[in-house]
Structure formats: C-alpha cells, structure tokens
Amino acid sequence: MATLIVGFLSAQLMLPNKALSQSLGASSQIDIRHSLDIRYALGFDKGETQIAEVSYRPELSGRLNDGIDYFVSARVRAFSSQMLEQGTMSNQGDSRSHINRRSFIGDNIELELKEAYADIFTYNGYLRIGKQTVVWGQADGLRVLDQINPLNYREFILGDIEDRRIALWMAKLEHSFADITAEFIWLPDHSYNDSPNSGPFKPTSPRLVPRLSESFRGTVIRQPSDRPNRFIRDDDYALRLSGFSQGWDWSLNAFYFYDDSAAIDVEGELGSKVILSPSYKRSLLLGGSASNAFDKLTFRSELAYQTNKHQLVNNKPGLITLNKTEKFDQISSVLGLDYQLSANTLISGQLFVSALLDSGDIDQTYNSATLLARQELLNDTIILEGLIIHDLDKSDGSLQLSAKYYLDNAITLKAGMDIFYGDREGLYGQFREASRMTVGLEYNF
C-alpha cells in the first residue's frame, strides 16, 4: 500500500495535467487538485500541545472514455506531536483489514490512500468499484442510518466528519426505476472503528470500556480481536430504495453487517487477572428516512431498528470487574428542524432517542439533543458556526465553536474552540481534560 501511495504522489508532483492526459490517451480528461492543511491545537487543562500537524492531500480525477470516470485521493500527514496517537504500525491495533491499513515513515509521517474508485456508467445508473465512502441519512453530529463506513476516533467526534470516515473497498450499484432509485452495496473490506489506545481521546467512560476498581492490582490481558475474515460469508451487504413523492424525500434502508464497535467479553479471577476478549458481532439494521421543506423550515427524520446490539451493562467498579456484555435489539431515531432565518443565518435543532429493547430493569435509554447555529458574513467570506451536543441523561456534552475566513479562492484561515463538560463517566464528560483551542490554515491549489 505504501508503494502505491508513493507512486501516486510522484505522478501528481512530477506530471502536469497535459502530460498525464497524453500518458493516459488523447480521450482522457484530467483534473488535478492539491490541498495543504496546517493545524495546531492547544489543550486548556495543562496548556500542552494537542495537535501540531501538516497534511498534504492530492486528488486526481478524470474520464477514460464516455463510460468510465475515476477518482483517486491520498493523504500525507506529518505530526510534530504524538499527543493524539502513537503513529507506528505496531500500535494501529487490529481494527483495519490488511488492504486498508495506513503506512508510516518513522513515527511522525503517515501515508494513507483515502479513496480510489472508478464509475462505470450504465443505462439509468452506474457501478462504482473501489475504495469509497457512502453516506446514508442527514443527521448532524450523531449517526442513526449513517453506518456504512466506520469512523476514526483519534479526535473523538471533533473535526470534519468527512475526514473521520474510513473509506472501504466496496462495489456499489445504483439504478433508477422511474421515480425510485435502488442502491446495492457489497463490502468485502473488514475494517472497523479506529479508537486511540493512548492520548487525550483514549476512551474511559464505562459506556465504552470495562472498568476496574482502583484497588485492583492484578493483570489485565487484552486478547487480539476476533475479526471476521471469510470472503463472501463475512462480507457486509446493504440495500437502499429512495425517491421523491409529494414534496417528501424518502428512503428505505437495510444493512446486514458486522457492528463497527467491538463487543468486549470480560472474564476475571478474583484479585489476580482480568481477560478482555473483543469480537465483532453480526447485526441487521432496518430503517428509513423522510424530509421535506416548508418555506424556510426543513423537517428531517430517521428511524432505525438494529438486531444483536452488544452493550456493556452493570458497569460499576468492584474488586474485580462487574461488567458484562449483553445482547439487545436497539431502536434509534432522530427528528430535526432546520430554520433558515435569512439567506445568511441558519438555526438547526435535533433530538436523538435510542433504547435497548427487552433490557428489563437496566437503564439503557440514550437521549441527546443538538443545536447548530451558522452565520455567514461579508459576502460569505466569513462563516461562524456553533454546535452543542447535550446528553439529556448524563447532562454532559460538547460545545464546538468555529470561524472560517476565506482570504481568497485558495487560502482559508480557521480558528475554533472545543469544550467538553459534565459527568466524567459520560460519553462526552470523559474528555473534559481534552478541551482545546485550535487554529489552522488551508491552501488549495
């Protein structure tokens, strides 16, 4: 994979558009784009650098003939700080398949093929083959139907969702039948969520990881993840029908997949040893979405039913772990309202409700609300945005503030602030010490 990325980067830097067009044939149409992103983040808690990195991202797109388009994107990222994660191959964990792993030069330079696919156009549709992302649903901040691609949690939920999605090798066939579009996806890439094993965003909440008493002095052994690896039999499959009827955009979704979050089985011996055994479980998601615009108001909704959802329960500290992973069916939903106050001002609110069914006396309901405000100034050259995500059960959450200034068509200046608050056992409060301020510069050429 590293050789492929280096070869692609060399072609990007050494050959101009005209030379590439000649090398691929007279009928080829080539478009080359580059972006350079400089980011710095300073943590509030200890005043230490959290991020200091430079990312270079080349993109190549074009048309081979009247029936085939292609797109290739890579990323080279150099960090001067190891706060977020240790950047060695041995510390990547086992969440990625062997065809979808990052490569490293030393501990401070990362190479990754972000996307690489070809579109083959057919009558009333197309076939997309390669490494790609697929977005289902329109929810902001939290996901209900948007489950196709796993996520990288090196910064938890911070940053652009497009950068956090992990592209997968897959084949997607889309075909239109009158007013209905059918989409079928086959995913042979067995890659799952990336979670850091060190740094400020290492998960500690009992909702996510088993917890031991502070008095425990035994040995904790984490077994390698039991990952699916059988071709066809362990692959993921998805189907979506979508359309537009009487002002409503709608979809019906089905996804037969392995959950991107590993279930952790816990075995313990009193005071001596605890064994953690992660594994990925097969699940079926059925759901749908509907949205409609009424003048300045847009209504959005999603509903999903997922089988075989594994969740940590009774996660309380003791002499040994009292955690156990149990299997439930889960129902999740989101209702959203977007109000366009003016051409330059948007207010958006969402309510997320999720519950584990047949959980008895176990309190396993999750309710969250989000509020987004966006203001554009000076002919859209300045964009101010604020997003708050609040857990209605734990009373914790995050506040994300950002500002962008488009200096010209090529240069964008960025600044922001990310604040976590609330119960340290909550999904967001666990990262209270990771609150930070950020600055950045993006150069597109």
Side-chain angles (χ1 to χ4, degrees), residues 57-188:
R57 185 164 179 169
E59 295 180 354
L60 172 68
S61 61
R63 173 164 293 182
L64 293 178
N65 53 49
D66 290 338
I68 301 178
D69 289 352
Y70 60 88
F71 177 81
V72 183
S73 173
R75 181 177 65 195
V76 180
R77 182 161 56 190
F79 355 100
S80 63
S81 170
Q82 290 290 314
M83 285 291 293
L84 289 181
E85 58 179 341
Q86 297 299 315
T88 61
M89 289 292 290
S90 61
N91 285 325
Q92 283 193 71
D94 48 13
S95 61
R96 299 274 194 116
S97 69
H98 68 280
I99 59 174
N100 200 356
R101 293 179 69 82
R102 299 172 290 169
S103 300
F104 288 87
I105 300 176
D107 288 345
N108 297 88
I109 300 178
E110 171 197 85
L111 306 175
E112 184 174 9
L113 182 66
K114 294 295 292 181
E115 292 184 282
Y117 57 80
D119 289 334
I120 304 172
F121 295 96
T122 62
Y123 176 73
N124 281 349
Y126 69 95
L127 173 65
R128 176 171 291 179
I129 302 176
K131 190 176 185 182
Q132 55 188 290
T133 60
V134 175
V135 181
W136 281 3
Q138 304 176 45
D140 295 324
L142 301 173
R143 306 197 300 171
V144 175
L145 292 176
D146 187 18
Q147 302 289 336
I148 300 295
N149 291 87
L151 296 178
N152 188 325
Y153 286 99
R154 73 191 290 263
E155 298 179 63
F156 189 43
I157 60 170
L158 304 179
D160 191 342
I161 182 65
E162 299 303 323
D163 289 333
R164 295 194 292 115
R165 283 195 179 95
I166 299 173
L168 300 177
W169 294 96
M170 67 177 84
K172 182 181 75 169
L173 176 63
E174 188 170 305
H175 190 85
S176 296
F177 302 90
D179 296 330
I180 297 177
T181 299
E183 178 183 307
F184 174 76
I185 304 172
W186 167 48
L187 299 98

Side-chain angles (χ1 to χ4, degrees), residues 32 36 48 90 98 108 119 123 135 139 160 190 199 207 232 262 301 316 326 336 343 417 420 426 439:
I32 300 176
L36 189 68
E48 295 180 346
S90 61
H98 68 280
N108 297 88
D119 289 334
Y123 176 73
V135 181
D160 191 342
H190 305 150
R207 286 180 54 175
I232 300 295
S301 64
K316 300 176 181 179
E326 292 190 0
M417 185 179 300
F420 295 95
V439 292

Side-chain angles (χ1 to χ4, degrees), residues 50 82-85 154 198-203 430-431 433-434:
Q50 191 180 104
Q82 290 290 314
M83 285 291 293
L84 289 181
E85 58 179 341
R154 73 191 290 263
S198 62
F201 294 105
K202 177 183 177 180
Q430 65 178 323
F431 299 122
E433 284 75 23

